[in-house]
Amino acid sequence: MTKTSLACAAMTLSACAQAAGADRTGQSIAPLFEKGRYLSVETYAARPQVHGTDIWGQSTGEVASDHAQWGFAYKQDITPQTSLLLMMTRPFGVDIAYGRQHSRLFGGTQARISTYELMSALRYEWSERWAMHGGLRLQRSEGHMALGGLAFGALNGYRVNFDPSIEPGYLLGMSYERPEMALRIAGTYYSAIKHQVSTQENLQAGTTTTHSTSPQSFNLDVQTGITPSTLLFGQIRWSDWAQLQLRPQAFAAATQGSSLTDLQSSTTYTLGLCQKFGPQWSGFVALVYDKKSSKNPLSPLRPSNGRTGYTVGVSYQNAHIKVTPWISYQRLGATDISTNGMPMAHFEHGAAKAAGLKLGYYF
C-alpha cells in the first residue's frame, strides 16, 4: 500500500466533520503519521439548510448560517523514532440565528461561538509496530448569545457576551502499525478544557465570570489494506458534549440554575474506502453516521437531531505536492424544539453541503 492511498484516507476523516454542528474538524492528528517533513493547509466552506415551522404555522426561516473553516499543520522528524507536530485549527463552532422577520415565537434568537486551538504533539516509536503520542493544546473560545421571541416569555430580549478565554489542555494516545498490510490502529484521548469566561449580560450591569468546559473526546482510527491498491478505513469518535454547560449569573438566577446549552454526549461512526487509480491519483468515499438522540423536544439552539452523510474526493500526489479536493453531503435528522418541554416548532429533515481543499507539501 503506497503513501498516496494512505493520504486520502487521512483527509476523509477530517472532511466528515459535522458541517452543520458544533464539531467542525473531528480533531484529526493524521499529519503526525506522514513521512518526513510535511506542511499542509486546508479549508472548507459549508452551507447548512435547516428550517422549521412553529405551532402558529409561521416559518422559522433558515436558522443555520453558512460558515468557512481553515487550518494548517507542520510535521517534522526529530530523530528516526521521534516526530513533532504543530497544528492550528478551529475545532468547535456554533452559528445559529432566527430571523426576526419570521417566527414571532423564536425570531431574534441566535448563538455565535467560535474556538481556535494551537496544538503541539510528539510521537515516539519504541518498536517497528508500537508508538505513543501526546501533547499540549492551547484553546481560545469566545461568543455571544441572544434569546428572542415570545417563546422565551420574560427572557425575550436577553443577551449575553462571552469575552475571549484562553486555557490549556492535552492529548494522549497510542498506535499500532503493520506497514506491509497498511494496517494502523490509533487511539487518541483529548482532555476537557475548563474556561473561566468574563461575561456581560443585559439583565445586570458589570462583568461576571461564567464557567464553561470544552468537551473531552476520544478518537479510535483504524485502516487496513484490502488489496495493494485498496484501503478500508474507519473511525469511532466519542465526544462528551454533556460537559458543556453555560450558566451566566443573571440567566441562572432567573431560570433556577438552567443552562443556555442543551447537549448530550455523542458517538460518530465513519467508514470509508480509498482506491488507487494510478501512480499519482487516488479517490475515496466515506459514510458518516450520528445516532439520533432519544430526547425530544430539543433547545432552539439545537434544531437538528442525528445525521447521515457521505464524502467523496480525489487526491493527486507527486514527490513533493499533494492536492486533495472533496465534497460532502449530510442529511440532518428532524426534531421538535421548545423552551418549556412542550413542542413549539417542528424542524423537518435538513441538509448540509460542504466542499473543501487540502494542500500538502513534502520537503
Side-chain angles (χ1 to χ4, degrees):
M1 185 66 62
T2 67
K3 184 166 67 176
T4 302
S5 294
L6 300 179
C8 71
M11 177 57 197
T12 306
L13 295 178
S14 176
C16 288
Q18 190 170 354
D23 193 343
R24 297 289 172 86
T25 67
Q27 293 182 298
S28 171
I29 58 167
L32 189 58
F33 297 94
E34 295 284 354
K35 301 300 182 182
R37 190 161 54 166
Y38 173 74
L39 176 68
S40 70
V41 178
E42 61 180 308
T43 184
Y44 77 80
R47 174 166 291 182
Q49 296 175 314
V50 181
H51 60 270
T53 304
D54 67 26
I55 56 175
W56 291 352
Q58 295 177 320
S59 171
T60 64
E62 295 290 345
V63 303
S65 303
D66 297 353
H67 60 270
Q69 290 289 110
W70 55 264
F72 76 84
Y74 172 76
K75 180 261 178 184
Q76 178 177 329
D77 293 332
I78 301 175
T79 71
Q81 292 81 31
T82 309
S83 303
L84 169 69
L85 173 66
L86 297 174
M87 289 186 71
M88 173 67 81
T89 61
R90 300 179 63 190
F92 309 122
V94 175
D95 291 281
I96 296 292
Y98 290 73
R100 295 182 182 278
Q101 70 275 25
H102 296 291
S103 170
R104 285 181 293 167
L105 288 177
F106 299 102
T109 299
Q110 61 176 281
R112 308 285 188 191
I113 298 177
S114 62
T115 60
Y116 299 82
E117 187 169 288
L118 178 64
M119 185 264 284
S120 176
L122 290 173
R123 180 171 186 256
Y124 176 72
E125 302 176 50
W126 74 76
S127 72
E128 292 183 355
R129 296 183 178 179
W130 289 96
M132 66 181 300
H133 55 272
L136 298 176
R137 302 152 54 210
L138 194 63
Q139 188 179 95
R140 180 182 189 269
S141 178
E142 63 180 322
H144 67 269
M145 291 184 174
L147 304 181
L150 300 178
F152 292 98
L155 287 173
N156 181 11
Y158 171 78
R159 297 187 304 277
V160 58
N161 184 73
F162 300 108
D163 290 345
S165 169
I166 300 177
E167 296 293 342
Y170 67 89
L171 64 100
L172 188 64
M174 292 183 63
S175 61
Y176 174 81
E177 294 182 291
R178 294 188 62 179
E180 72 277 10
M181 301 172 56
L183 172 67
R184 179 192 300 144
I185 303 173
T188 306
Y189 171 76
Y190 298 84
S191 72
I193 296 180
K194 296 183 179 181
H195 293 268
Q196 297 187 46
V197 187
S198 296
T199 305
Q200 298 86 39
E201 301 173 84
N202 67 338
L203 294 183
Q204 66 180 24
T207 298
T208 59
T209 299
T210 300
H211 297 275
S212 171
T213 301
S214 181
Q216 63 179 339
S217 61
F218 180 79
N219 288 357
L220 178 63
D221 298 290
V222 180
Q223 64 176 46
T224 184
I226 301 176
T227 71
S229 61
T230 306
L231 187 78
L232 179 69
F233 61 92
Q235 182 189 76
I236 300 175
R237 173 172 169 78
W238 171 79
S239 300
D240 192 9
W241 283 105
Q243 288 185 308
L244 179 57
Q245 301 286 318
L246 290 174
R247 294 185 173 92
Q249 188 177 98
F251 177 84
T255 60
Q256 298 182 333
S258 295
S259 171
L260 281 166
T261 56
D262 176 28
L263 299 174
Q264 297 170 292
S265 299
S266 65
T267 302
T268 301
Y269 302 90
T270 304
L271 182 65
L273 197 67
C274 183
Q275 179 66 45
K276 185 176 173 63
F277 300 128
Q280 297 176 319
W281 288 94
S282 58
F284 58 87
V285 60
L287 304 177
V288 63
Y289 171 75
D290 273 329
K291 183 180 178 180
K292 187 173 183 177
S293 170
S294 59
K295 184 176 181 179
N296 191 63
L298 300 179
S299 161
L301 302 180
R302 187 184 170 192
S304 66
N305 192 355
R307 62 163 176 151
T308 57
Y310 63 85
T311 300
V312 295
V314 296
S315 183
Y316 169 83
Q317 182 174 342
N318 59 32
H320 296 289
I321 296 174
K322 178 171 63 182
V323 181
T324 309
W326 56 267
I327 58 174
S328 178
Y329 175 84
Q330 299 175 20
R331 181 173 170 83
L332 308 177
T335 191
D336 295 322
I337 66 169
S338 177
T339 61
N340 59 12
M342 299 295 292
M344 303 181 74
H346 179 72
F347 281 75
E348 298 289 349
H349 289 283
K353 303 172 184 176
L357 177 67
K358 182 173 184 177
L359 303 176
Y361 180 66
Y362 298 91
F363 57 102

